[in-house]
């Protein structure tokens, strides 16, 4: 009995130990151990403990193998990418020489319905690999800044631009521009967007409301003139019939086909009957063609008129007027490119250059960015603080002094473009998830210091007398922290570090203080806290000087009378001009030799209506083109023209009379038209046809040259026909009609 009790206690103790082991290692135990509690022996328990330990070792070794395998796969992926890039480079550059860009497949023009998406494709060859930029009507498209509208993609030498949710404002010429150190090439395609209302039934019937809306615009705003700093309002009265309760049309304003959004400077007002646009504190950027568009369920109506903005009076006689259209491009961590347009009036002497000022958002102190004035209307500003926002303005300089500053640019943040895109397109919830994923992955990944690899594709993107801009791609191997860069230049085989004090954060760098006319080569090294990597492949030798040439002079303008205070001026475009900013048109009263700007904002078209002229005065016109390099020579002068209303079609002559009829000729007479159409009548054409037995014949032209008198003696043509007629008998009748030749 005693031995039986002891055995029972031993079994109970062993059972408790088994349960404890099962609780500690439940995630490794199988159901087999849980089903044999009553018959487990000490040997079985030992075997169970050994199995658990071996499984731990197995999972530790397995995890390390997974990490090692991932690293091996990453290494091979990078290796394959490098091999793939090497093969691509061999195909693109078989002779190891540099080649200018060349379009193998050009973008193709397309027509698309409103609301749809269109995609332009092109293939570009050249070495070094060309950089591709897309332009809409010669304006650079910043796809990263407008991801909801554009997507620009590049895969090796194939490039595309996707335009989403097209509307009629996307109807334009799109240009793909390819640039490398050897030159530039471009190709243009036209995209036409058909408005949705164009495919409505012809009667415009709206099933939703059971009516057809008819829109009439009255009390229309006319061509307007304003001065910088003033306030200007444009308005129209809109009548929509029939009136439907709670239905209002869509009222949209445009400037030069670009929708005008309400802002500090632009205010919209729609009363239900009258549409008003108010421009507060006018600036030259506000000049342009303004369009009111009223959209209804049955179609749309528009009205347009031009607004001119004159320069404010200069404080010092002879100084230039302010530059305009200051914009920021290619913003990065510590670098941004500022561009602007030259003013129409240079002052009493040519513009010598420009000063660029910057101001941090929230501050009131403007700091000058360049010590010496720059001639190019484009300047790379460096030394920005990452994460801070900046605004810029520009002033022009000539021998008489410095102009007033331009209107300030939109604020721009010094930030990596990819970070900016992520912040712009990520919701709050998505950002939180991204931060969690990053934190989790950063805890798992080993923190090993890695010296970054070499940057790739180092190219000279800009070269002027004032500066040279380098651009490159970050290294593939960069570790788990950000990389910075050192730039080196060489002359006479001696490499010299340019930025000795502080490495730069952006994959862009502007070099100043280079000797004009000298040749340089450049290379870049990456660095982080673990050290400095090897140098990139050096660039080809670049001679410091202006790559962008001045535009050639436009063709001689042709002037056409328009109204009592305006004329239409057309001209031939400048030849082979790159990055055209537009044209300025100037007028002069004959005999004065004083030239006045007709437009204060450059226009891209080769046709412009010059308003604000004096009726009856005799004018000549000239045109000059402008790009970032400066102004072209002026075109030849136009022929002189007196400003008067346009010549219209004259009225009809009256009183066609047979004055005399003899054997071999007739004499016709008529009264000149009461309305000569605004110009003297130069002559007349006479047509005739026969009437025989009540049957009308075909019309024939009697004279091939215009007649200058109000009478005509047809002899040679009619002589043989009427020779046999007798008094009182008329077998053939003639009906004459007079056409006027202007």
């Amino acid at each position: 009995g005693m031995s039986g009790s002891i055995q029972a206690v031993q079994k109970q103790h062993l059972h408790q130990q088994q349960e404890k082991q099962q609780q500690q290692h439940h995630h490794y135990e199988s159901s087999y151990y849980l089903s044999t509690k009553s018959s487990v022996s000490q040997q079985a328990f030992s075997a169970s403990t050994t199995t658990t330990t071996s499984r731990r070792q197995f999972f530790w070794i397995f995890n390390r193998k997974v990490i090692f395998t991932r690293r091996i796969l990453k290494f091979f992926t990078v290796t394959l990418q490098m091999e793939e890039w090497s093969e691509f480079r061999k195909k693109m550059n078989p002779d190891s020489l540099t080649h200018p860009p060349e379009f193998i497949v050009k973008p193709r023009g397309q027509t698309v319905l409103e609301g749809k998406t269109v995609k332009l494709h092109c293939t570009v060859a050249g070495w070094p690999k060309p950089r591709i930029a897309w332009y809409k009507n010669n304006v650079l498209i910043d796809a990263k800044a407008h991801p909801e509208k554009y997507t620009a993609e590049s895969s090796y030498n194939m490039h595309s631009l996707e335009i989403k949710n097209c509307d009629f404002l996307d109807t334009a010429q799109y240009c793909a521009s390819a640039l490398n150190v050897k030159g530039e090439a471009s190709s243009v395609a036209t995209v036409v967007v058909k408005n949705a209302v164009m495919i409505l039934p012809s009667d415009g019937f709206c099933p939703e409301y059971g009516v057809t809306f008819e829109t009439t615009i009255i009390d229309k705003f006319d061509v307007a003139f304003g001065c910088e700093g003033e306030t200007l309002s444009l308005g129209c009265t809109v009548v929509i019939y029939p009136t439907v309760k709670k239905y209002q049309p869509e009222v949209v304003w445009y400037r030069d086909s670009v929708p005008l959004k309400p802002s500090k400077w632009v205010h919209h007002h729609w009363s239900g009957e009258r549409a008003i646009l108010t421009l507060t504190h006018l600036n030259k950027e506000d000049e342009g063609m303004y369009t009111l568009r009223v959209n209804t369920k049955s179609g749309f109506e528009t009205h347009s008129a031009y607004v001119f903005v004159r320069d404010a009076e200069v404080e010092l006689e002879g100084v230039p007027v302010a530059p305009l259209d200051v914009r920021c491009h290619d913003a990065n961590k510590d670098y941004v490119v500022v561009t602007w347009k030259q003013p129409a009036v240079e002052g009493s002497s040519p513009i010598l250059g420009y000063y660029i000022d910057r101001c941090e958002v929230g501050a009131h102190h403007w700091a000058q960015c360049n010590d010496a004035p720059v001639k190019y209307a484009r300047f790379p500003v460096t030394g920005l603080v990452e994460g801070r926002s900046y605004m810029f303005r520009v002033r022009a300089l000539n021998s008489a002094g410095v102009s007033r500053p331009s209107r300030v640019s939109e604020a721009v943040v010094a930030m990596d473009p990819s970070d900016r895109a992520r912040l712009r397109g990520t919701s709050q919830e998505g950002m939180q998830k991204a931060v969690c994923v990053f934190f989790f992955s950063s805890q798992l990944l080993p923190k090993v210091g890695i010296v970054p690899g070499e940057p790739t594709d180092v190219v000279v993107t800009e070269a002027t007398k004032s500066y040279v801009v380098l651009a490159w791609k970050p290294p593939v191997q960069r570790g788990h922290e950000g990389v910075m860069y050192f730039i080196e230049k060489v002359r006479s085989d001696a490499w010299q570090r340019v930025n000795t004090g502080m490495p730069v954060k952006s994959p862009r760098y502007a070099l100043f203080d280079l000797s004009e006319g000298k040749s340089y080569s450049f290379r870049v090294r990456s660095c982080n806290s673990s050290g400095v990597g090897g140098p990139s492949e050096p660039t080809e030798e670049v001679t410091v000087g202006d790559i962008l040439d001045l535009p050639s002079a436009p063709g001689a303008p042709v002037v056409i009378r328009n109204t009592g205070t305006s004329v239409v001026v057309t001209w031939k475009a400048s030849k082979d001009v790159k990055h055209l900013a537009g044209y300025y048109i100037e007028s002069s009263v004959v005999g004065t030799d004083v030239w006045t700007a007709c437009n204060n904002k450059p226009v891209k078209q080769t046709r412009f209506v010059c308003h604000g002229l004096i009726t009856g005065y005799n004018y000549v016109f000239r045109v000059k083109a402008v790009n970032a390099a400066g102004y072209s020579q002026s075109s030849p002068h136009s022929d002189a023209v007196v400003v008067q209303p346009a010549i219209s079609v004259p009225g009809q002559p009256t009183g066609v009379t047979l004055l005399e009829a003899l054997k071999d000729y007739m004499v016709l007479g008529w009264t000149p038209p009461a309305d000569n159409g605004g110009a003297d009548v130069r002559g007349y054409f006479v047509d005739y046809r026969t009437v025989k037995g009540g049957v009308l014949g075909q019309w024939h032209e009697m004279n091939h040259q215009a007649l200058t008198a109000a009478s005509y003696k047809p002899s040679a043509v009619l002589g043989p026909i009427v020779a046999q007629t007798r008094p009182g008998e008329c077998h053939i009748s003639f009906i004459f009609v007079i056409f006027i030749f202007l």
Side-chain angles (χ1 to χ4, degrees), residues 97-391:
L97 299 175
T98 57
H99 299 280
E102 179 186 358
F103 279 84
I104 307 302
V105 176
K106 295 181 179 181
R108 180 176 58 85
Q110 299 180 49
T111 299
V112 64
L113 288 177
E114 194 174 34
K116 301 296 183 181
T117 296
V118 66
K119 200 167 188 178
L120 303 175
H121 300 269
C122 65
T123 303
V124 184
W127 197 262
K129 180 184 172 185
R131 297 177 62 201
I132 303 296
W134 291 91
Y135 293 82
K136 176 185 176 182
N137 289 339
N138 295 317
V139 177
L140 180 67
I141 294 174
D142 189 352
K144 291 182 179 179
H146 302 282
E148 77 289 348
K149 189 65 181 177
Y150 303 106
T151 299
E153 296 179 342
S154 294
S155 177
Y156 294 119
N157 64 333
M158 292 174 289
H159 311 273
S160 66
L161 174 70
E162 185 178 51
I163 309 167
K164 307 166 190 172
N165 192 25
C166 290
D167 58 35
F168 84 106
L169 293 176
D170 293 315
T171 297
Q173 282 192 331
Y174 291 84
C175 174
S177 175
L179 175 70
N180 68 7
V181 294
K182 293 295 289 184
E184 183 192 26
S186 59
S187 182
V188 176
T190 300
V191 172
V192 177
V193 181
K194 289 188 176 180
N195 198 286
V197 298
M198 294 173 63
I199 57 175
L200 288 172
S202 58
D203 58 3
F205 182 76
C206 173
E208 182 179 352
Y209 291 96
V211 297
T212 299
F213 290 105
E214 295 180 5
T215 305
T216 306
I217 300 177
I218 58 175
D219 298 335
K220 301 174 181 178
F221 60 91
D222 202 351
V223 173
F225 296 88
C227 187
E228 285 186 302
E230 296 178 349
T231 296
L232 180 69
S233 291
L234 310 174
C236 288
T237 299
V238 180
V239 179
I240 297 179
Y241 180 82
T243 301
V244 176
K245 190 176 181 180
K246 294 184 179 180
Y247 174 74
Q248 287 293 325
E250 181 189 23
V251 178
V252 191
W253 289 90
Y254 300 89
R255 178 172 60 227
D256 296 331
S257 300
V258 177
L260 277 175
K261 298 178 181 178
S263 69
K264 178 181 178 181
W265 315 109
V266 179
H267 301 282
H268 296 182
H269 179 69
W270 167 243
S271 66
E273 294 181 355
R274 189 160 180 81
I276 299 175
L277 176 74
T278 303
L279 305 171
T280 62
H281 200 82
L282 281 173
N283 205 274
K284 287 183 289 191
E285 284 87 343
D286 296 323
E287 184 169 292
M289 180 67 75
Y290 282 77
T291 301
L292 168 67
R293 175 172 165 136
V294 182
N295 297 320
T296 67
K297 298 289 184 178
S298 301
F300 66 92
E301 289 293 331
T302 64
H303 170 67
S304 301
Y306 210 87
V307 171
F308 293 86
V309 181
R310 307 290 192 199
D311 288 294
E313 292 294 329
V314 295
E315 297 176 1
L316 183 63
E317 187 68 26
V319 301
V321 297
L324 67 156
D325 202 20
V326 180
R327 298 174 183 266
C328 300
H329 309 271
D330 199 22
N332 223 292
K333 294 181 181 180
D334 52 6
Y335 161 97
V336 67
V337 172
V338 179
T339 64
W340 59 93
K341 289 187 175 70
Q342 295 91 335
V345 180
E346 296 185 80
S348 59
S349 62
I351 290 177
L352 300 174
Y354 300 88
Y355 289 116
I356 299 89
D357 304 329
R358 76 172 181 233
C359 178
E360 194 171 329
V361 173
H364 301 284
H365 172 68
W366 286 91
Q368 189 170 299
C369 300
N370 54 316
D371 296 327
V374 293
K375 288 282 290 182
Y376 263 56
R378 181 180 178 92
F379 187 76
V381 178
T382 58
L384 305 179
V385 179
E386 185 177 3
R388 296 187 182 179
S389 298
Y390 295 89
M391 298 181 297

Side-chain angles (χ1 to χ4, degrees), residues 550-630:
L550 289 170
S552 59
V558 176
V559 185
I560 306 168
R561 285 164 48 179
N562 187 42
T563 72
T565 57
S566 66
V567 297
V568 178
V569 182
T570 61
W571 61 91
K572 287 188 177 179
S574 299
K575 294 181 179 178
D576 302 324
V577 59
K578 293 182 179 178
H579 304 297
L580 176 72
Y583 298 95
Y584 283 120
I585 302 94
E586 296 176 311
S587 66
S588 176
V589 177
V590 173
T592 63
D593 201 31
V594 176
W595 291 92
T596 304
C598 296
N599 58 314
N600 285 290
K601 180 180 178 181
V603 294
K604 289 290 184 63
Q605 304 87 351
T606 56
R607 180 185 184 276
F608 189 72
V609 181
C610 298
H611 288 269
L613 307 177
I614 302 174
T615 306
Y617 277 46
N618 201 14
Y619 285 87
V620 291
F621 296 83
R622 68 185 186 188
V623 183
K624 59 184 177 183
V626 62
N627 67 2

Side-chain angles (χ1 to χ4, degrees), residues 89 454-459 495 521-524 535-540:
R89 181 168 181 165
E454 302 84 12
T456 57
D457 294 349
V458 183
V459 294
W495 285 99
S521 186
F522 307 95
R523 68 186 187 187
V524 183
S536 66
E537 289 290 327
T539 65
E540 294 291 324

Side-chain angles (χ1 to χ4, degrees), residues 487-498:
I487 293 85
E488 298 175 345
K489 66 179 180 181
V490 64
R491 273 194 65 201
S492 305
D493 298 328
W495 285 99
Q496 175 186 359
R497 184 166 291 179
V498 177

